[in-house]
Amino acid sequence: MPTRRDVLGTLLGSGLAGIRLPAAARPTLFAPAKAPVIEWNAHLFSSDLQRYPLHPQATYRRDVSKDPADPLADYLKRLNSEGIDYAVVVQPEPYGDDHRLVRDALQREPQRLRGTSLFYPADPDAPRKLAELVRAEPRIVSTRFHAHRGKETYFKSFADDGVRALWKAAVDRGMVIELHIGPDYARQAGKAIAAFPGSKVLIDHLAEPHMGTGVEFADVLELANYPEVYMKLSGIGHFAKDEPNYESALPFTSRVIREFGPERMVWGSGRPGIVDFHMKGYSPAEIASVKGGNLQRLLKWRT
């Protein structure tokens, strides 16, 4: 069955919406004998506020009193119980641009973990801070931008000078741009991607479809035309409530997977078995790539 991209490519003939990636330009599936399972999602929180204080500019505050003092120990137990080989831990918003907890986790598990970063685009020193962080801890592989309806606290537009400067600093260092966006920001994000050729971009949580309209989500699907934009098969529980596999979301996830292709989908939250459920009909190699092979290739992660 032709996808929306195929139809647009035939009708328009030119322009971004009409781009159809030639086979040679598409990423190849990473399919060794046993591809690793890699999770990109976990937020670590510690009740030890002396070592890991909450940031005064945090966009929200978390009650960490019920969190363990050593969250990494608990997280490693989860990885082992779920059969997850490696993980990318995500810098949580309550810690702002103070990366002490993530850095400590990477130093304790340098082979098994990678990490992301978070900065404030309105801070003119943010690009410098990012550069210094990556020099000190090269296992930081990404920086994250938050923008969706009701979340305008970081910036107003992807065209803002601070956003573009921080984006460029990350791209110049070969980092992945992690976009926690809603459908209403997809068109702007596309313009930023076009402004920085070679950007490697990962869209979080299926672009939070419940935070936008069907018309706006069409702009999310347009982002599949960029060859280095990846979609994360995660956050299904944000809009579907039929755990554990969220069968009600299958028509939606099936369409998104068709648009981006199994070579540009990655898994990120819940159980790895969710990938099997939502990719029935795909080959074992394609499923293994989504569970971890694509991230291993994207991050050039030697396991």
Side-chain angles (χ1 to χ4, degrees):
M1 178 182 294
T3 67
R4 185 183 53 80
R5 270 188 292 162
D6 298 323
V7 174
L8 285 173
T10 301
L11 292 177
L12 299 179
S14 64
L16 174 61
I19 292 174
R20 183 63 176 160
L21 296 176
R26 297 175 203 155
T28 56
L29 292 172
F30 181 88
K34 182 185 180 300
V37 177
I38 304 175
E39 178 178 67
W40 182 322
N41 186 67
H43 297 51
L44 302 181
F45 295 97
S46 172
S47 58
D48 187 346
L49 288 171
Q50 291 297 115
R51 294 185 66 187
Y52 309 114
L54 300 179
H55 199 283
Q57 291 179 252
T59 57
Y60 77 92
R61 294 187 70 82
R62 177 185 173 96
D63 179 5
V64 297
S65 62
K66 297 181 181 179
D67 290 306
D70 182 9
L72 180 59
D74 284 1
Y75 183 55
L76 293 176
K77 291 177 184 177
R78 177 182 174 271
L79 295 183
N80 295 336
S81 67
E82 293 285 358
I84 300 169
D85 300 301
Y86 304 95
V88 181
V89 291
V90 176
Q91 171 72 2
E93 291 179 80
Y95 294 115
D97 58 4
D98 182 341
H99 297 84
R100 275 177 281 185
L101 181 52
V102 165
R103 289 184 63 180
D104 284 355
L106 298 182
Q107 290 166 11
R108 288 170 58 187
E109 290 288 333
Q111 301 303 318
R112 197 170 189 182
L113 300 180
R114 298 293 182 269
T116 75
S117 62
L118 177 66
F119 295 94
Y120 297 102
D123 177 3
D125 286 334
R128 177 187 59 78
K129 291 176 180 177
L130 181 145
E132 290 178 353
L133 176 67
V134 175
R135 277 196 296 270
E137 180 46 86
R139 285 177 290 265
I140 298 287
V141 297
S142 171
T143 200
R144 195 181 202 201
F145 292 92
H146 294 267
H148 52 73
R149 189 164 279 115
K151 191 78 166 186
E152 291 86 13
T153 46
Y154 287 97
F155 56 90
K156 300 298 183 185
S157 168
F158 275 101
D160 290 355
D161 289 344
V163 173
R164 293 297 179 92
L166 185 56
W167 189 302
K168 182 179 186 301
V171 171
D172 287 349
R173 286 158 182 80
M175 301 174 75
V176 174
I177 303 294
E178 185 179 11
L179 297 181
H180 185 202
I181 59 171
D184 53 323
Y185 275 87
R187 184 172 297 185
Q188 305 182 21
K191 292 179 180 178
I193 294 167
F196 296 100
S199 297
K200 297 180 291 186
V201 175
L202 175 63
I203 302 171
D204 266 340
H205 305 325
L206 296 161
E208 304 285 16
H210 59 296
M211 292 184 174
T213 67
V215 172
E216 290 168 336
F217 202 83
D219 293 328
V220 175
L221 297 181
E222 286 297 317
L223 298 179
N225 287 303
Y226 293 97
E228 289 296 328
V229 174
Y230 294 73
M231 177 63 79
K232 192 192 291 186
L233 184 62
S234 65
I236 304 176
H238 295 179
F239 59 91
K241 303 306 176 185
D242 47 341
E243 298 180 84
N245 293 318
Y246 309 108
E247 185 173 0
S248 64
L250 272 173
F252 173 74
T253 57
S254 297
R255 179 58 183 272
V256 174
I257 294 168
R258 283 207 312 274
E259 290 294 332
F260 284 85
E263 71 279 3
R264 287 192 290 133
M265 296 292 302
V266 305
W267 167 70
S269 65
R271 300 161 35 257
I274 288 175
V275 179
D276 300 274
F277 189 86
H278 286 264
M279 292 189 67
K280 288 178 181 176
Y282 286 88
S283 71
E286 289 170 325
I287 292 171
S289 288
V290 174
K291 284 184 178 180
N294 291 336
L295 276 181
Q296 186 176 33
R297 169 173 48 79
L298 178 63
L299 299 177
K300 298 180 175 62
W301 197 335
R302 296 183 180 180
T303 59

